[in-house]
Amino acid sequence: RGAGEVGMGLADELAGLNAQLGTKLGEDAIEADLESLGLTELPAVVLKLGQLTTLVLDGNRLVELPESLSDLSGLTELHCRNNRLRQLPGGLCACHRLEGLFFEGNQLSELPERLGVLGTLRGLEVSRNELCRLPESLTQCVELEGLYCDHNRLEVLPPSLGHMIALEELSLRHNGLTALPASIGMLERLRELRLSHNRLAALPVE
């Protein structure tokens, strides 16, 4: 009976959320589309959706995400473009199945130092933020295929950037880069490198 009560509680919470937002989330939802709903915080009930793999929060007014985001252990994609995020919770790094993170158009000044533990990450979109650096641990994401950091304040890149051997697209337009790490020559799969509107005087010899 206790388990039934818990289930009914979740159903009631979801019914309330759906009525409030006009959504159709169910207890077994694998995708939650909460785009452009004027949210200022992530509804707590969403963190109870244990089957969730995709969470879409684009176009809201979120200033932070909860540390308990780690409860969504099966999450593979998090879309949070065009919000007001200034930082990301460390709990994000506990979502070990993440393949895509999309944070374009926020106010991020830094990324979690432990981001490199996300070994399955394939795409990271952080363009149009206020990043001055990328965490060195990011270069441990050896499955990463696309890294998009246009329109930030980057002045340097991690020296071990070349360890990201799966990287195919690297976009760094409109930053303050004056040099590239020599290891960039190790990126044998790289097919698109976008560097316009930086302060580069030369490219690495290798």
Side-chain angles (χ1 to χ4, degrees), residues 53-57 65 69 75-80 92 98 100-103:
T53 61
T54 301
L55 178 56
V56 181
L57 298 166
L65 294 173
L69 196 66
L75 203 63
T76 59
E77 289 188 16
L78 176 57
H79 301 255
C80 206
L92 182 69
L98 276 169
L101 288 173
F102 307 93
F103 291 107

Side-chain angles (χ1 to χ4, degrees), residues 19 37 56 61 68 84 86 105 108 111-112 119 141 155 179 185 195 202 205:
L37 294 175
V56 181
R61 299 198 297 271
S68 51
R84 302 174 183 177
R86 295 183 180 275
L108 298 174
L111 298 176
C141 295
E155 297 183 358
L195 296 168
V205 174

Side-chain angles (χ1 to χ4, degrees), residues 33 58 109 130 132 134 161 178:
D33 186 349
D58 297 340
S109 59
E130 300 174 9
C132 295
L134 298 175
L161 185 73
T178 56

Side-chain angles (χ1 to χ4, degrees), residues 54-190:
T54 301
L55 178 56
V56 181
L57 298 166
D58 297 340
N60 282 289
R61 299 198 297 271
L62 300 171
V63 296
E64 64 179 3
L65 294 173
E67 284 291 338
S68 51
L69 196 66
S70 58
D71 291 347
L72 299 177
S73 58
L75 203 63
T76 59
E77 289 188 16
L78 176 57
H79 301 255
C80 206
R81 302 179 183 90
N82 300 318
N83 278 276
R84 302 174 183 177
L85 300 175
R86 295 183 180 275
Q87 61 181 11
L88 300 178
L92 182 69
C93 299
C95 299
H96 293 296
R97 297 183 183 179
L98 276 169
E99 297 179 7
L101 288 173
F102 307 93
F103 291 107
E104 179 181 5
N106 280 279
Q107 301 168 24
L108 298 174
S109 59
E110 61 181 5
L111 298 176
E113 290 295 332
R114 295 182 57 249
L115 201 61
V117 302
L118 299 177
T120 57
L121 196 62
R122 295 183 179 275
L124 177 61
E125 167 60 274
V126 289
S127 294
R128 299 185 186 280
N129 278 281
E130 300 174 9
L131 299 172
C132 295
R133 57 181 288 273
L134 298 175
E136 180 68 30
S137 75
L138 182 62
T139 64
Q140 298 171 22
C141 295
V142 294
E143 298 294 324
L144 196 67
E145 298 174 355
L147 177 57
Y148 310 94
C149 305
D150 300 329
H151 293 275
N152 277 283
R153 301 177 180 177
L154 299 175
E155 297 183 358
V156 296
L157 297 174
S160 55
L161 185 73
H163 292 176
M164 301 165 74
I165 55 175
L167 206 59
E168 297 180 3
E169 295 186 26
L170 177 58
S171 195
L172 298 160
R173 296 172 295 190
H174 294 273
N175 279 283
L177 298 172
T178 56
L180 298 177
S183 67
I184 199 169
M186 298 166 57
L187 300 175
E188 296 183 355
R189 297 188 190 178
L190 195 65

